[in-house]
DNA sequence: TACAACCAGTTGCAAAATGCAATCGGTTGT
DNA sequence: ACAACCGATTGCATTTTGCAACTGGTTGTA
């Protein structure tokens, strides 16, 4: 734990926590893939993270206050990882990064559809999705909504592309 | 050059290019600090990057099409690095990351002021700043503007905090 | 024209981070 | 009783990073 920072710049400080190839992917999976257990994060991600790296990053994210861990009452060994408000507010960062990647990198059609919808929806859609995350990760109450949630719409769009191919 | 990607996810692909502790800092310095030469990036950054890492990252960013390099006509050895349109469009990613860091991390007052102004200004201010970057990095023409540029305003705010302390 | 300062990198090497596969002690369902 | 599953941990090889010295060349000044 060497927490001497290189500078007090907000971008630098953010990168000292999140500046590696895995941390934001873990947050992405928790956010958009609804992965909440170690095993889910380990096996159900596209990229195939190693278990030691996953364990290490979860520890870092816990220390940084971006996620929390609580025991799963249904299974004595399972832990449930949740995003904190701080973690949920990384959504716009991921959305911007996804929009940029979608525009300039060789994104696959099925994995790009979410980025496209999120980008087209803009900050208003992001706020709606963040509210849903507050409900599922923080247990916050939400006013009744009409129709499918943003999360459901993104998932449905993804599956629709997969099934079409 | 191993360019086999772990997945076609836009966030993953972005992280494969930018997911380290230095790349986005270099872009930050080019964008907000107007650093355009190797030596400026090496010595005038807060964090103190090593010359070999800087050389390596500049190569990667060139390959990725995020920056370009051209010879400086005033000095046979100097190169001028510029952001491409693709690089300029990383502005919102940096702005969101800065806003998040400003809110949740121990940001110093003088280095946080830019993040605050940028966050308060929102997408409209970002677009204005990106237009200025197109002018200074791509040589694009801009319609006449009234008063100081966004870059100048950010710089003035920074200096005002430094002088006050 | 000598020379110091500056220029963009490169090199060698030690230390740290990453990636992989096997494994651990424990829990759960059959 | 036992196989499958659980969240990690361990050992080890490979890769990346960080540091300092250095290279070959250019520029400004005396």
């Amino acid at each position: 734990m060497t927490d001497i920072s290189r500078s007090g710049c907000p971008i630098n400080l953010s990168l000292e926590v999140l500046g590696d190839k895995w941390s934001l992917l873990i947050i992405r999976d928790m956010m958009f893939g609804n992965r909440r257990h170690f095993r889910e994060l380990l096996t159900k991600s596209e990229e195939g993270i190693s278990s030691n790296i996953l364990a290490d990053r979860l520890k870092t994210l816990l220390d940084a206050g971006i996620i929390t861990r609580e025991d799963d009452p249904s299974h004595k060994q399972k832990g449930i990882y949740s995003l904190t408000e701080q973690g949920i507010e990384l959504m716009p960062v991921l959305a911007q990064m996804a929009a940029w990647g979608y525009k300039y990198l060789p994104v696959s059609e099925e994995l790009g559809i979410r980025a496209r919808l999120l980008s087209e929806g803009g900050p208003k859609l992001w706020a709606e999705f963040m509210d849903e995350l507050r409900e599922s990760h923080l247990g916050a109450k939400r006013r009744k909504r009409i129709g499918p949630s943003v999360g459901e719409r993104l998932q449905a769009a993804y599956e629709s592309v997969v099934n079409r191919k």
Side-chain angles (χ1 to χ4, degrees), chain A residues 100-160:
Chain A
W100 183 84
Y102 181 73
K103 188 162 181 182
Y104 290 109
L105 301 175
V107 167
S108 73
E109 193 188 354
E110 62 269 28
L111 294 174
I113 183 68
R114 278 185 247 244
R116 191 165 70 82
L117 292 178
L118 225 48
S119 171
E120 285 168 4
K124 200 182 161 185
L125 189 75
W126 304 351
E128 195 183 338
F129 185 52
M130 286 167 76
D131 254 6
E132 292 171 13
L133 291 172
R134 285 184 190 101
E135 192 179 22
S136 50
H137 287 255
L138 304 177
K141 293 248 173 99
R142 260 166 54 75
R143 45 192 175 289
K144 208 174 289 180
R145 91 178 96 75
I146 310 129
S149 70
V150 177
E152 285 162 359
R153 279 181 271 164
L154 293 175
Q155 185 61 20
Y158 166 73
E159 282 164 13
S160 141

Side-chain angles (χ1 to χ4, degrees), chain A residues 11 39 63 65 69 71 100-101 132 154:
Chain A
I11 294 173
R39 201 53 57 159
D63 288 349
R69 194 209 126 110
D71 291 337
W100 183 84
E132 292 171 13
L154 293 175

Side-chain angles (χ1 to χ4, degrees), chain A residues 10-52:
Chain A
I11 294 173
N12 173 60
L13 290 168
S14 300
L15 288 172
E16 287 186 11
V17 183
L18 302 167
D20 72 274
K21 300 228 183 303
W22 291 110
S23 300
L24 285 173
L25 290 185
I26 294 169
I27 293 165
R28 174 204 64 183
D29 284 347
M30 292 182 67
M31 211 171 256
F32 299 101
N34 206 34
R35 316 268 189 266
R36 305 292 288 269
H37 302 288
F38 189 94
R39 201 53 57 159
E40 285 179 323
L41 288 163
L42 186 65
T43 61
K44 293 184 185 173
S45 91
E46 291 280 330
E47 293 85 8
I49 191 172
S50 308
S51 58
N52 54 346

